[in-house]
Amino acid sequence: MLELNKYENAQMEHSATQDDIPMPLYSWDFFGDYLEQLKISLSDLSKLKTLSKSNQWRFNWNFEEELRKDHVVVVTDNLLNIVFASENIIGMTGYATKEVLGKSPKLFQGTKTSKNDLRFIREAIDAKIPFEKTIVNYKKNGETYSCHIKAFPVFNRKKQVVNFIAFEKAA
């Protein structure tokens, strides 16, 4: 017990000589960030499920898993106009979801994007087959980044391509 008293006395003496003001840990800040991210993920999940249902997708992905992995999810119509982008797209590209809707994914391409990679992607889209590729993309501010894309054609119950879906992550 005597050792404990020595420790407490030493601690008090040390604290008395410090000019530091102790700052409390605001766990609500951490929880608030988590809660906001959860809210965004649930909103994205709801929009994806609605899109899936309205277009009668034959196959349903585990969107929750993809969003948990921090993948950006981009869905285009069969004309390759973006009809959905997850809210976390802003972190990877600098573009807000509202800015990319109705646009082509070509928005993210530039002079350093390989023409061979683009040809590979075009051929896969034309053949209506899945593909996986890492390409150089451009952020809104013009900065380049490597983007790993896993993309799939999405068929409806009549076996018609209605959308393309891509799960993307900065590589």
Side-chain angles (χ1 to χ4, degrees):
M1 187 61 113
L2 185 59
E3 290 296 315
L4 187 56
N5 285 338
K6 284 183 183 180
Y7 172 78
E8 287 177 348
N9 290 337
Q11 176 64 26
M12 286 183 357
E13 285 177 32
H14 175 73
S15 296
T17 63
Q18 300 298 311
D19 292 332
D20 295 337
I21 299 171
M23 298 296 292
L25 176 64
Y26 293 112
S27 62
W28 282 106
D29 290 344
F30 298 111
F31 183 71
D33 291 344
Y34 168 76
L35 195 57
E36 185 61 28
Q37 186 58 44
L38 183 61
K39 185 177 110 182
I40 290 168
S41 291
L42 289 174
S43 174
D44 283 344
L45 189 59
S46 174
K47 290 174 189 173
L48 281 165
K49 285 182 178 181
T50 299
L51 186 63
S52 171
K53 190 174 184 176
S54 68
N55 288 334
Q56 300 177 346
W57 291 359
R58 274 183 42 196
F59 182 80
N60 288 316
W61 281 270
N62 185 349
F63 298 122
E64 191 173 349
E65 177 77 18
E66 297 300 332
L67 291 169
R68 195 172 321 138
K69 291 179 187 175
D70 271 342
H71 285 154
V72 172
V73 181
V74 177
V75 180
T76 66
D77 60 19
N78 57 2
L79 299 175
L80 301 183
N81 296 310
I82 298 171
V83 295
F84 172 84
S86 56
E87 293 291 331
N88 60 351
I89 194 168
I90 196 166
M92 186 168 73
T93 68
Y95 288 98
T97 299
K98 294 176 186 174
E99 294 177 280
V100 301
L101 293 178
K103 305 244 172 48
S104 166
K106 290 179 183 180
L107 169 74
F108 308 112
Q109 299 166 8
T111 55
K112 292 184 181 177
T113 308
S114 165
K115 301 298 179 210
N116 288 335
D117 290 345
L118 295 177
R119 187 173 14 267
F120 172 84
I121 291 169
R122 170 51 63 194
E123 289 171 359
I125 289 170
D126 289 345
K128 299 176 177 104
I129 58 173
F131 68 89
E132 187 170 343
K133 194 72 162 163
T134 300
I135 66 170
V136 174
N137 267 351
Y138 286 77
K139 295 182 178 189
K140 185 177 181 178
N141 67 6
E143 184 182 326
T144 61
Y145 67 99
S146 291
C147 182
H148 186 77
I149 306 167
K150 288 184 186 178
F152 305 86
V154 182
F155 297 89
N156 65 11
R157 291 188 181 110
K158 296 178 184 178
K159 299 182 182 178
Q160 301 165 320
V161 173
V162 290
N163 297 104
F164 290 90
I165 190 166
F167 302 103
E168 303 180 7
K169 190 162 184 106

PDB file of all heavy atoms in Angstrom, residues 5-16:
ATOM      1  N   ASN A   5       0.851   4.775  -2.441  1.00  0.00           N
ATOM      2  CA  ASN A   5       0.872   6.160  -1.970  1.00  0.00           C
ATOM      3  C   ASN A   5       2.036   6.938  -2.584  1.00  0.00           C
ATOM      4  O   ASN A   5       1.894   8.107  -2.935  1.00  0.00           O
ATOM      5  CB  ASN A   5       0.953   6.211  -0.437  1.00  0.00           C
ATOM      6  CG  ASN A   5      -0.380   5.852   0.202  1.00  0.00           C
ATOM      7  OD1 ASN A   5      -1.419   5.963  -0.437  1.00  0.00           O
ATOM      8  ND2 ASN A   5      -0.332   5.418   1.452  1.00  0.00           N
ATOM      9  N   LYS A   6       3.212   6.296  -2.694  1.00  0.00           N
ATOM     10  CA  LYS A   6       4.358   6.948  -3.317  1.00  0.00           C
ATOM     11  C   LYS A   6       4.044   7.313  -4.770  1.00  0.00           C
ATOM     12  O   LYS A   6       4.382   8.394  -5.249  1.00  0.00           O
ATOM     13  CB  LYS A   6       5.586   6.037  -3.267  1.00  0.00           C
ATOM     14  CG  LYS A   6       6.256   5.954  -1.940  1.00  0.00           C
ATOM     15  CD  LYS A   6       7.487   5.072  -2.057  1.00  0.00           C
ATOM     16  CE  LYS A   6       8.171   4.889  -0.717  1.00  0.00           C
ATOM     17  NZ  LYS A   6       9.348   4.035  -0.832  1.00  0.00           N
ATOM     18  N   TYR A   7       3.393   6.392  -5.465  1.00  0.00           N
ATOM     19  CA  TYR A   7       3.024   6.634  -6.867  1.00  0.00           C
ATOM     20  C   TYR A   7       2.063   7.812  -6.968  1.00  0.00           C
ATOM     21  O   TYR A   7       2.252   8.702  -7.794  1.00  0.00           O
ATOM     22  CB  TYR A   7       2.402   5.377  -7.496  1.00  0.00           C
ATOM     23  CG  TYR A   7       1.835   5.646  -8.864  1.00  0.00           C
ATOM     24  CD1 TYR A   7       2.689   5.742  -9.966  1.00  0.00           C
ATOM     25  CD2 TYR A   7       0.473   5.835  -9.056  1.00  0.00           C
ATOM     26  CE1 TYR A   7       2.186   6.016 -11.225  1.00  0.00           C
ATOM     27  CE2 TYR A   7      -0.039   6.109 -10.308  1.00  0.00           C
ATOM     28  CZ  TYR A   7       0.821   6.204 -11.393  1.00  0.00           C
ATOM     29  OH  TYR A   7       0.317   6.470 -12.646  1.00  0.00           O
ATOM     30  N   GLU A   8       1.029   7.815  -6.132  1.00  0.00           N
ATOM     31  CA  GLU A   8       0.041   8.900  -6.170  1.00  0.00           C
ATOM     32  C   GLU A   8       0.691  10.242  -5.862  1.00  0.00           C
ATOM     33  O   GLU A   8       0.405  11.254  -6.512  1.00  0.00           O
ATOM     34  CB  GLU A   8      -1.105   8.617  -5.202  1.00  0.00           C
ATOM     35  CG  GLU A   8      -2.024   7.524  -5.686  1.00  0.00           C
ATOM     36  CD  GLU A   8      -3.126   7.180  -4.691  1.00  0.00           C
ATOM     37  OE1 GLU A   8      -3.061   7.617  -3.524  1.00  0.00           O
ATOM     38  OE2 GLU A   8      -4.041   6.459  -5.102  1.00  0.00           O
ATOM     39  N   ASN A   9       1.588  10.276  -4.866  1.00  0.00           N
ATOM     40  CA  ASN A   9       2.294  11.518  -4.532  1.00  0.00           C
ATOM     41  C   ASN A   9       3.167  11.988  -5.686  1.00  0.00           C
ATOM     42  O   ASN A   9       3.195  13.176  -6.018  1.00  0.00           O
ATOM     43  CB  ASN A   9       3.125  11.347  -3.261  1.00  0.00           C
ATOM     44  CG  ASN A   9       2.250  11.223  -2.024  1.00  0.00           C
ATOM     45  OD1 ASN A   9       1.107  11.671  -2.010  1.00  0.00           O
ATOM     46  ND2 ASN A   9       2.799  10.601  -0.981  1.00  0.00           N
ATOM     47  N   ALA A  10       3.874  11.067  -6.307  1.00  0.00           N
ATOM     48  CA  ALA A  10       4.722  11.419  -7.451  1.00  0.00           C
ATOM     49  C   ALA A  10       3.876  11.946  -8.607  1.00  0.00           C
ATOM     50  O   ALA A  10       4.247  12.919  -9.271  1.00  0.00           O
ATOM     51  CB  ALA A  10       5.540  10.217  -7.885  1.00  0.00           C
ATOM     52  N   GLN A  11       2.746  11.329  -8.835  1.00  0.00           N
ATOM     53  CA  GLN A  11       1.834  11.767  -9.895  1.00  0.00           C
ATOM     54  C   GLN A  11       1.322  13.179  -9.623  1.00  0.00           C
ATOM     55  O   GLN A  11       1.274  14.009 -10.512  1.00  0.00           O
ATOM     56  CB  GLN A  11       0.659  10.780 -10.041  1.00  0.00           C
ATOM     57  CG  GLN A  11      -0.388  11.181 -11.047  1.00  0.00           C
ATOM     58  CD  GLN A  11       0.141  11.243 -12.466  1.00  0.00           C
ATOM     59  OE1 GLN A  11       1.103  10.569 -12.828  1.00  0.00           O
ATOM     60  NE2 GLN A  11      -0.452  12.095 -13.269  1.00  0.00           N
ATOM     61  N   MET A  12       0.936  13.462  -8.395  1.00  0.00           N
ATOM     62  CA  MET A  12       0.426  14.788  -8.037  1.00  0.00           C
ATOM     63  C   MET A  12       1.524  15.838  -8.201  1.00  0.00           C
ATOM     64  O   MET A  12       1.282  16.937  -8.699  1.00  0.00           O
ATOM     65  CB  MET A  12      -0.145  14.778  -6.621  1.00  0.00           C
ATOM     66  CG  MET A  12      -1.473  14.052  -6.566  1.00  0.00           C
ATOM     67  SD  MET A  12      -2.395  13.991  -4.993  1.00  0.00           S
ATOM     68  CE  MET A  12      -1.443  14.767  -3.783  1.00  0.00           C
ATOM     69  N   GLU A  13       2.762  15.529  -7.769  1.00  0.00           N
ATOM     70  CA  GLU A  13       3.865  16.470  -7.916  1.00  0.00           C
ATOM     71  C   GLU A  13       4.152  16.741  -9.390  1.00  0.00           C
ATOM     72  O   GLU A  13       4.368  17.882  -9.794  1.00  0.00           O
ATOM     73  CB  GLU A  13       5.127  15.914  -7.238  1.00  0.00           C
ATOM     74  CG  GLU A  13       5.105  15.982  -5.739  1.00  0.00           C
ATOM     75  CD  GLU A  13       6.345  15.354  -5.122  1.00  0.00           C
ATOM     76  OE1 GLU A  13       7.435  15.429  -5.761  1.00  0.00           O
ATOM     77  OE2 GLU A  13       6.231  14.804  -4.027  1.00  0.00           O
ATOM     78  N   HIS A  14       4.131  15.706 -10.178  1.00  0.00           N
ATOM     79  CA  HIS A  14       4.367  15.854 -11.619  1.00  0.00           C
ATOM     80  C   HIS A  14       3.267  16.697 -12.263  1.00  0.00           C
ATOM     81  O   HIS A  14       3.555  17.605 -13.043  1.00  0.00           O
ATOM     82  CB  HIS A  14       4.441  14.477 -12.298  1.00  0.00           C
ATOM     83  CG  HIS A  14       4.558  14.563 -13.785  1.00  0.00           C
ATOM     84  ND1 HIS A  14       5.717  14.966 -14.407  1.00  0.00           N
ATOM     85  CD2 HIS A  14       3.661  14.298 -14.769  1.00  0.00           C
ATOM     86  CE1 HIS A  14       5.526  14.950 -15.714  1.00  0.00           C
ATOM     87  NE2 HIS A  14       4.292  14.541 -15.951  1.00  0.00           N
ATOM     88  N   SER A  15       2.045  16.418 -11.943  1.00  0.00           N
ATOM     89  CA  SER A  15       0.909  17.151 -12.516  1.00  0.00           C
ATOM     90  C   SER A  15       0.944  18.624 -12.129  1.00  0.00           C
ATOM     91  O   SER A  15       0.562  19.492 -12.910  1.00  0.00           O
ATOM     92  CB  SER A  15      -0.418  16.539 -12.060  1.00  0.00           C
ATOM     93  OG  SER A  15      -0.534  15.237 -12.556  1.00  0.00           O
ATOM     94  N   ALA A  16       1.413  18.921 -10.929  1.00  0.00           N
ATOM     95  CA  ALA A  16       1.464  20.312 -10.452  1.00  0.00           C
ATOM     96  C   ALA A  16       2.480  21.123 -11.244  1.00  0.00           C
ATOM     97  O   ALA A  16       2.350  22.342 -11.364  1.00  0.00           O
ATOM     98  CB  ALA A  16       1.787  20.348  -8.965  1.00  0.00           C
TER      99      ALA A  16
END
